[in-house]
Every structure is written in C-alpha cells, then in structure tokens.
Amino acid sequence: MTPTETDARTEFQRAEERTAHNYHPLPVVVQHAEGAWMTDVAGTRYLDLLAGYSALNFGHGHPELTRVAREQLEQLTLTSRAFVHDRFADFCAALGDLCGKDLVLPMNTGAEAVETAIKVARKWGYEVKGVPPGRAKILVMTGNFHGRTTTVVGFSDDPDAHNGFGPFTPGFQAVTYGDLAAVEAAIDEDTVAVLLEPIQGEGGVVIPPDDFLPGVRELCTRHDVLMVADEIQSGLGRTGRTFACDHSDVVPDVYVLGKALGGGIIPVSAVVADRDVLSVLRPGQHGSTFGGNPLACAVGAAVVQLLGTGEPQRRATELGVVLRERLEAMVGHGVLDVRVRGLWAGVDIDPTVGTGRDVCEALMARGVLAKDTHGSTIRLAPPLVVSEEDLGWGLDQLAAVVGG
Ligand SMILES: *Cc1c(COP(=O)(O)O)cnc(C)c1O
C-alpha cells in the first residue's frame, strides 16, 4: 500500500470508531467530487452510481446551484418562519407551479415531509371529510420506505427498520403494493389518505403494474381520499419526467418531495398541495425552525428553475435507454432481473455471483461506487449529468463483475 492508501484506511477506521453503526459504508473516504465523479483521500477517482440516493440528481458541485448557494451564504441564511425573508415567495411560487398546486409547505428532510403529509391528511380528514375524532386511517403499501421516524417505521415491513422501535403510532393499514383490488377493499369511510411511492426506490426500484397509479387515483377521487405521492426519491427528473406519476398521467392530491430538491447541497423537503388541503394548518399547528430557510429556498428555487428547462428530464430519458439496453443484456449473465425507469434501475444479482454487497465491493475495486439494497439488489441512480461514455464505462465494470 502507498502511504496515501494507508492514510485512507486509517481515516475510514477513525470514522467507524466514533459513530453509531447505523450504516455499513463501503471502505472509501471521499474528499472531493465534481459532476458524476468522486475522489477519495488517496486521490483515487470513482464514478458515482448512487448520487446520494438521488439527492445528487444534478451532480456534485453543480456550477449554478453552488453559485446560488455561495451568494446566499453571504446574504442571509436563517430568519426562522417568525419573519418572512426575500427568498421565500419565489421558492414557494416556483415549486407550486412546477407541481401545478396552490401551496407549498417547506420542511428539511424527507421523513419530516412525510410526517407533515400524515398530519395534514389526518387534519383534512377530520375537518373537511368529516371523519369522527381519532378514527382517521391511512393506507400504506407493503415494501414501503418513507424514512426513519418512529411513526414512519411503525408501518414499515422491513424488520431492520421496524423491529425494536415500538410502540408505534396507530392509524395505518398496509396493503400489497400494486394490488388495486386490495386498495379498494381496504378503503372505508374513515380512510383519509393513500400514501405510496409511485416507484419504490429503497424497495429495489419496484415499478407497479401500469393500471395501479391511475386506479388508485380513481379510487381516491371516488371515495374522497387524498392520494399522497411520496416522490422524494422518484421525483425531480430521475425517471425522465418531473414526477414518476407523470408516466401514468396521474396527478396526486399531495406531492411529498425532498432529496434532489436540495441540489445535493442542503436538506430541502416540501409538501405541495392545493389550498383545500394545506389550508387545514393554522398558526402554531405545525412548524420547523429550519424549514424554508433562505439558503434552502435559494437552492430549491434554482433546482426548480433547472427542472423548468426540461434538460435533466431529457438526459434521464436518453441515458435511460442506454442503461436499459446494457442491463437487459446482462440478464442471464450474473443478473436475474432488471427494472428500469429513466436513469434509475434495480438490478437483481444472481446469488451464485455473490451478494449485492460483494458486487459493490468488487465495483469499488474497479472505480465505481454503488449501493446494494435488500441483500441481492443493486440500485443504480447515477447523477443525471453523467456522460454517456462514463455511464457506459461504469456498466462495463458491472458486466465484468457479475459476468465473471
Ligand atoms: C429517502 C426517502 C425518504 C426519507 O428521506 P430523508 O431525507 O432520508 O428523511 C422518504 N421517502 C422516500 C421515498 C425516500 O426515498
């Protein structure tokens, strides 16, 4: 090992020694990144095929986003919502317009935005739909991932996420993801919302049957139930459209957004809906000290502007064709199955090749960083700014690793 590689190993061990082991990171210590490439402390370069779980859709150090952030840092960073600041209106208007909705409620992290949507749906249920007090029910999906707070992990069926963290918040009922009849059967007069991911990211990029989202939309309209789409990972360009729901021509009542909304710079999340839904919140009933802060709003507005050009969506569509072709050619050669939507893929590794983790370690040795999910699946979500050449090279490395 060169001295720098020894340093890198030491740095990794130091990090592991002084943190709770709630993650199992690959043994790399990143120091710098630009576009789709990261460089570790030893100077080794890696192609990023995870993009911060889609928080880095626009790549590392996007010039326009970092310029806006830098300028805002010099100007104003926090007022709290006790005072209005001059970046707030533009962000809310721009994001509301992008979603085709009246109102925006900014928060920070994805889980917080999901919690916010749950509170809003319940309050809407009592005040608008007329559900008797304490009875509001929210339908959720099997295989869901909506974050890590106690309420949210309470309705997760992933044992790692769920077990040992109870007692849990009541009021949720799980139905099989993709099963429209199950959704219909579970809706009753106390049902206030159906909460779903239009594509399940953490679940392994699971795409529901074509009729599922339109069917849920129709059921929600018919039974006066809010359709709440958690587009935190699937939204903002990843699938080749602004929202994954767009592929089905479905408009949910509530969008829950996060991850890429912060441009990979700062946590920014939001709940976006029309006035009849979000106006159920009145002063003092919900809040966040950092939610909608000037820096977040400046970056978030720049992200919305970027999406307004349609360029990130176009790249995701074009590169997604390459991704699909290359991955489908690997099926039967170390890969059991692939699911692709835009520049986003779940790749099920043949267990005879190794675990997802084994494959990610082998990829790392070849200069590619990716992340396994649920044992044998690898989720590929390169920054949308990756070049076609680099993407092809990264997929060459995957083919070499799984194909032996
Ligand atoms: C990542 C994610 C969340 C949670 O976001 P955090 O910012 O990590 O709290 C919620 N829902 C979905 C679909 C996600 O992918």
Side-chain angles (χ1 to χ4, degrees):
M1 274 192 293
T2 65
T4 46
E5 279 168 349
T6 311
D7 290 347
R9 191 155 295 200
T10 309
E11 199 55 35
F12 182 78
Q13 276 158 3
R14 281 184 60 230
E16 284 290 274
E17 267 163 30
R18 298 305 299 269
T19 186
H21 288 174
N22 57 328
Y23 281 87
H24 181 30
L26 285 168
V28 61
V29 182
V30 180
Q31 187 171 52
H32 176 81
E34 207 178 312
W37 288 88
M38 300 198 274
T39 309
D40 77 359
V41 289
T44 307
R45 294 181 80 230
Y46 298 92
L47 182 65
D48 182 1
L49 292 189
L50 178 65
Y53 306 98
S54 285
L56 287 152
N57 278 1
F58 315 106
H60 296 270
H62 187 282
E64 176 60 12
L65 299 181
T66 47
R67 184 191 65 77
V68 165
R70 227 179 262 121
E71 278 183 21
Q72 191 58 40
L73 266 180
E74 302 290 323
Q75 202 66 33
L76 176 73
T77 53
L78 189 65
T79 56
S80 86
R81 294 280 308 278
F83 317 119
V84 179
H85 60 77
D86 70 345
R87 307 311 299 255
F88 194 75
D90 282 349
F91 170 65
C92 293
L95 185 58
D97 289 350
L98 186 79
C99 299
K101 300 287 186 194
D102 300 333
L103 302 183
V104 169
L105 172 45
M107 300 295 286
N108 308 283
T109 65
E112 258 184 319
V114 173
E115 291 272 354
T116 303
I118 290 167
K119 287 175 68 177
V120 167
R122 285 178 165 185
K123 207 146 192 303
W124 174 88
Y126 298 126
E127 293 187 2
V128 180
K129 180 165 176 167
V131 171
R135 296 253 302 261
K137 180 169 100 174
I138 295 177
L139 300 185
V140 299
M141 301 295 136
T142 55
N144 71 72
F145 181 83
H146 297 288
R148 301 296 197 166
T149 56
T150 40
T151 289
V152 165
V153 301
F155 56 81
S156 167
D157 53 19
D158 173 353
D160 282 338
H162 179 94
N163 294 351
F165 301 113
F168 297 117
T169 314
F172 301 93
Q173 182 183 336
V175 298
T176 303
Y177 187 60
D179 185 343
L180 201 51
V183 176
E184 180 156 27
I187 290 179
D188 59 26
E189 64 264 32
D190 295 335
T191 307
V192 298
V194 176
L195 169 63
L196 54 76
E197 300 153 85
I199 295 174
Q200 291 186 330
E202 198 67 23
V205 190
V206 178
I207 303 171
D210 287 346
D211 65 349
F212 184 62
L213 297 176
V216 170
R217 174 65 278 178
E218 193 274 319
L219 284 173
C220 286
T221 305
R222 179 143 50 96
H223 294 281
D224 198 19
V225 169
L226 297 177
M227 180 178 183
V228 181
D230 179 347
E231 292 252 17
I232 289 170
Q233 192 168 156
S234 59
L236 309 184
R238 172 56 57 192
T239 65
R241 303 290 294 273
T242 304
F243 302 109
C245 282
D246 295 347
H247 291 275
S248 311
D249 291 320
V250 161
V251 179
D253 299 294
V254 179
Y255 286 104
V256 186
L257 303 173
K259 291 203 166 99
L261 191 56
I265 296 175
I266 178 169
V268 187
S269 68
V271 173
V272 187
D274 277 335
R275 201 172 299 278
D276 57 333
V277 177
L278 271 182
S279 63
V280 298
L281 291 179
R282 285 174 291 277
Q285 296 177 346
H286 192 61
S288 160
T289 304
F290 285 89
N293 69 74
L295 186 58
C297 287
V299 172
V303 164
V304 172
Q305 194 167 22
L306 212 59
L307 287 162
T309 66
E311 177 64 16
Q313 298 91 322
R314 195 179 60 73
R315 279 205 66 77
T317 300
E318 285 176 9
L319 294 171
V321 174
V322 177
L323 183 67
R324 176 186 295 280
E325 272 175 14
R326 291 296 312 273
L327 289 177
E328 284 179 349
M330 292 181 211
V331 175
H333 305 275
V335 168
L336 293 181
D337 190 22
V338 296
R339 297 165 297 280
V340 187
R341 179 71 45 98
L343 196 55
W344 201 23
V347 183
D348 297 340
I349 304 298
D350 186 333
T352 61
V353 170
T355 62
R357 174 77 184 192
D358 295 335
V359 170
C360 288
E361 285 175 3
L363 282 172
M364 183 183 151
R366 288 169 167 271
V368 174
L369 293 179
K371 176 74 172 74
D372 52 298
T373 179
H374 294 285
S376 58
T377 300
I378 296 179
R379 166 187 22 191
L380 299 179
L384 308 182
V385 298
V386 69
S387 73
E388 186 173 335
E389 194 188 352
D390 289 346
L391 177 65
W393 175 83
L395 294 169
D396 289 344
Q397 307 316 305
L398 179 63
V401 166
V402 298

